[in-house]
Amino acid sequence: MLKVENLSFSYGKIRAITNVSFELKDGEIMAIIGANGAGKSSLMKCIAGLLKPQAGNIWFGKIKLEPPPFKAVKKGVVLVPEGRWIFPNLSVEDNLLLGGYIIKDQRPGLKRAYNMFPWMEERKTQRAGTLSGGEQQMLAIARGLMSNPEFLLLDEPSLGLAPLIVNDIIELIKMINAQGISILLVEQNARKALGIAHQACVLEGGKIVKRGSGKELSADEEIIAAYLGKK
Ligand code: ATP
């Protein structure tokens, strides 16, 4: 279980997160929705150990998550960052191998990735920078799975992708979750995120202003007006 307790983080004088607390049960998807600048990426980076919060704690079971970030990866918590951060000049396979750098024998991880995404095996020597946006996002997620995580942090996985590809990414997230991996999902496509989330929180100005099940928030008038709009 992931437990975030009274977390606050500032960049110098700029407050990004204020007193955020929530729990995510094993095997669940939690969606975090909120406008630009609400603090979503900062929250993800704190959990992944990339930022050190000024106050509060993050627990993954009995383990405290804190910098340096490889500690989280070793414990099975992996961030797939906004913007994908794939290495464009490296091959598809080398990008995958970088995701499993903490694991000695990478063959089972590669096999799993290629089973999940047969096109990656066919194109394993292709430069990653020549893949489409959707393919690059899938590669970023596959790379995140290489260290065999229990818990995946997905920051804006559908950003900049065409609607049909967004559906593929959402289906992929459901499939990964069905394998027992818990997921914290930050997504600007709030309707789609709430559609697959067991639980959800709304961040505004660094604070959680609403929480509930994905279904509840999808039907909430305020959420519809602010984040979902017309169908
Ligand atoms: P977006 O969807 O635009 O990525 P977000 O919800 O992820 O937004 P954050 O990126 O976490 O929000 O930003 C929260 C606040 O912290 C914003 O006011 C932002 O301007 C500020 N901020 C983010 N990164 C930095 C930084 N490196 N230095 C200073 N301020 C920052």
Side-chain angles (χ1 to χ4, degrees), residues 42 47 73 97 142 177 207-208 220 223:
S42 305
I47 298 171
V73 177
L97 291 172
N177 177 244
K207 295 181 185 163
I208 294 183
D220 183 299
I223 302 292

PDB file of all heavy atoms in Angstrom, residues 42 47 73 97 142 177 207-208 220 223:
ATOM      1  N   SER A  42       4.913  17.477  -9.343  1.00  0.00           N
ATOM      2  CA  SER A  42       5.738  17.598  -8.130  1.00  0.00           C
ATOM      3  C   SER A  42       5.411  16.468  -7.162  1.00  0.00           C
ATOM      4  O   SER A  42       6.319  15.877  -6.550  1.00  0.00           O
ATOM      5  CB  SER A  42       5.486  18.950  -7.447  1.00  0.00           C
ATOM      6  OG  SER A  42       5.697  19.997  -8.355  1.00  0.00           O
ATOM      7  N   ILE A  47       7.157  11.223  -4.699  1.00  0.00           N
ATOM      8  CA  ILE A  47       6.961   9.791  -4.437  1.00  0.00           C
ATOM      9  C   ILE A  47       8.114   8.985  -5.027  1.00  0.00           C
ATOM     10  O   ILE A  47       8.608   8.043  -4.412  1.00  0.00           O
ATOM     11  CB  ILE A  47       5.604   9.305  -4.999  1.00  0.00           C
ATOM     12  CG1 ILE A  47       4.448  10.036  -4.302  1.00  0.00           C
ATOM     13  CG2 ILE A  47       5.447   7.798  -4.807  1.00  0.00           C
ATOM     14  CD1 ILE A  47       3.080   9.807  -4.926  1.00  0.00           C
ATOM     15  N   VAL A  73      13.018   2.679  -6.959  1.00  0.00           N
ATOM     16  CA  VAL A  73      13.038   1.674  -8.039  1.00  0.00           C
ATOM     17  C   VAL A  73      13.357   0.297  -7.458  1.00  0.00           C
ATOM     18  O   VAL A  73      12.710  -0.697  -7.781  1.00  0.00           O
ATOM     19  CB  VAL A  73      14.067   2.057  -9.126  1.00  0.00           C
ATOM     20  CG1 VAL A  73      14.135   0.977 -10.201  1.00  0.00           C
ATOM     21  CG2 VAL A  73      13.708   3.400  -9.759  1.00  0.00           C
ATOM     22  N   LEU A  97      16.540  -1.809 -22.065  1.00  0.00           N
ATOM     23  CA  LEU A  97      17.566  -2.318 -21.143  1.00  0.00           C
ATOM     24  C   LEU A  97      17.912  -1.293 -20.067  1.00  0.00           C
ATOM     25  O   LEU A  97      18.193  -1.646 -18.927  1.00  0.00           O
ATOM     26  CB  LEU A  97      18.820  -2.731 -21.922  1.00  0.00           C
ATOM     27  CG  LEU A  97      18.627  -3.974 -22.809  1.00  0.00           C
ATOM     28  CD1 LEU A  97      19.847  -4.210 -23.691  1.00  0.00           C
ATOM     29  CD2 LEU A  97      18.345  -5.214 -21.959  1.00  0.00           C
ATOM     30  N   ALA A 142       6.883   0.479 -21.272  1.00  0.00           N
ATOM     31  CA  ALA A 142       7.554  -0.839 -21.286  1.00  0.00           C
ATOM     32  C   ALA A 142       8.888  -0.763 -20.554  1.00  0.00           C
ATOM     33  O   ALA A 142       9.268  -1.679 -19.824  1.00  0.00           O
ATOM     34  CB  ALA A 142       7.752  -1.310 -22.719  1.00  0.00           C
ATOM     35  N   ASN A 177      -2.594  -2.953 -14.952  1.00  0.00           N
ATOM     36  CA  ASN A 177      -3.223  -3.042 -13.630  1.00  0.00           C
ATOM     37  C   ASN A 177      -3.798  -4.444 -13.405  1.00  0.00           C
ATOM     38  O   ASN A 177      -3.733  -4.987 -12.284  1.00  0.00           O
ATOM     39  CB  ASN A 177      -4.307  -1.968 -13.517  1.00  0.00           C
ATOM     40  CG  ASN A 177      -5.053  -2.031 -12.203  1.00  0.00           C
ATOM     41  OD1 ASN A 177      -6.248  -2.296 -12.166  1.00  0.00           O
ATOM     42  ND2 ASN A 177      -4.353  -1.815 -11.117  1.00  0.00           N
ATOM     43  N   LYS A 207      -3.387  21.519  -3.254  1.00  0.00           N
ATOM     44  CA  LYS A 207      -4.145  20.846  -2.188  1.00  0.00           C
ATOM     45  C   LYS A 207      -5.173  19.897  -2.788  1.00  0.00           C
ATOM     46  O   LYS A 207      -5.708  20.175  -3.878  1.00  0.00           O
ATOM     47  CB  LYS A 207      -4.919  21.879  -1.350  1.00  0.00           C
ATOM     48  CG  LYS A 207      -4.018  22.802  -0.596  1.00  0.00           C
ATOM     49  CD  LYS A 207      -4.838  23.771   0.226  1.00  0.00           C
ATOM     50  CE  LYS A 207      -3.882  24.757   0.875  1.00  0.00           C
ATOM     51  NZ  LYS A 207      -4.547  25.957   1.360  1.00  0.00           N
ATOM     52  N   ILE A 208      -5.477  18.834  -2.047  1.00  0.00           N
ATOM     53  CA  ILE A 208      -6.557  17.947  -2.511  1.00  0.00           C
ATOM     54  C   ILE A 208      -7.877  18.600  -2.121  1.00  0.00           C
ATOM     55  O   ILE A 208      -8.131  18.874  -0.943  1.00  0.00           O
ATOM     56  CB  ILE A 208      -6.441  16.551  -1.876  1.00  0.00           C
ATOM     57  CG1 ILE A 208      -5.173  15.866  -2.392  1.00  0.00           C
ATOM     58  CG2 ILE A 208      -7.674  15.705  -2.219  1.00  0.00           C
ATOM     59  CD1 ILE A 208      -4.975  14.453  -1.906  1.00  0.00           C
ATOM     60  N   ASP A 220     -19.848  13.942 -10.571  1.00  0.00           N
ATOM     61  CA  ASP A 220     -19.892  15.119  -9.699  1.00  0.00           C
ATOM     62  C   ASP A 220     -20.044  16.396 -10.557  1.00  0.00           C
ATOM     63  O   ASP A 220     -19.227  16.644 -11.451  1.00  0.00           O
ATOM     64  CB  ASP A 220     -18.587  15.154  -8.889  1.00  0.00           C
ATOM     65  CG  ASP A 220     -18.533  16.284  -7.887  1.00  0.00           C
ATOM     66  OD1 ASP A 220     -18.595  17.472  -8.297  1.00  0.00           O
ATOM     67  OD2 ASP A 220     -18.404  15.984  -6.701  1.00  0.00           O
ATOM     68  N   ILE A 223     -17.052  18.700 -10.805  1.00  0.00           N
ATOM     69  CA  ILE A 223     -15.957  18.100 -11.596  1.00  0.00           C
ATOM     70  C   ILE A 223     -16.311  18.132 -13.077  1.00  0.00           C
ATOM     71  O   ILE A 223     -15.456  18.445 -13.923  1.00  0.00           O
ATOM     72  CB  ILE A 223     -15.702  16.634 -11.157  1.00  0.00           C
ATOM     73  CG1 ILE A 223     -15.370  16.565  -9.674  1.00  0.00           C
ATOM     74  CG2 ILE A 223     -14.608  15.984 -11.993  1.00  0.00           C
ATOM     75  CD1 ILE A 223     -14.065  17.169  -9.279  1.00  0.00           C
TER      76      ILE A 223
END
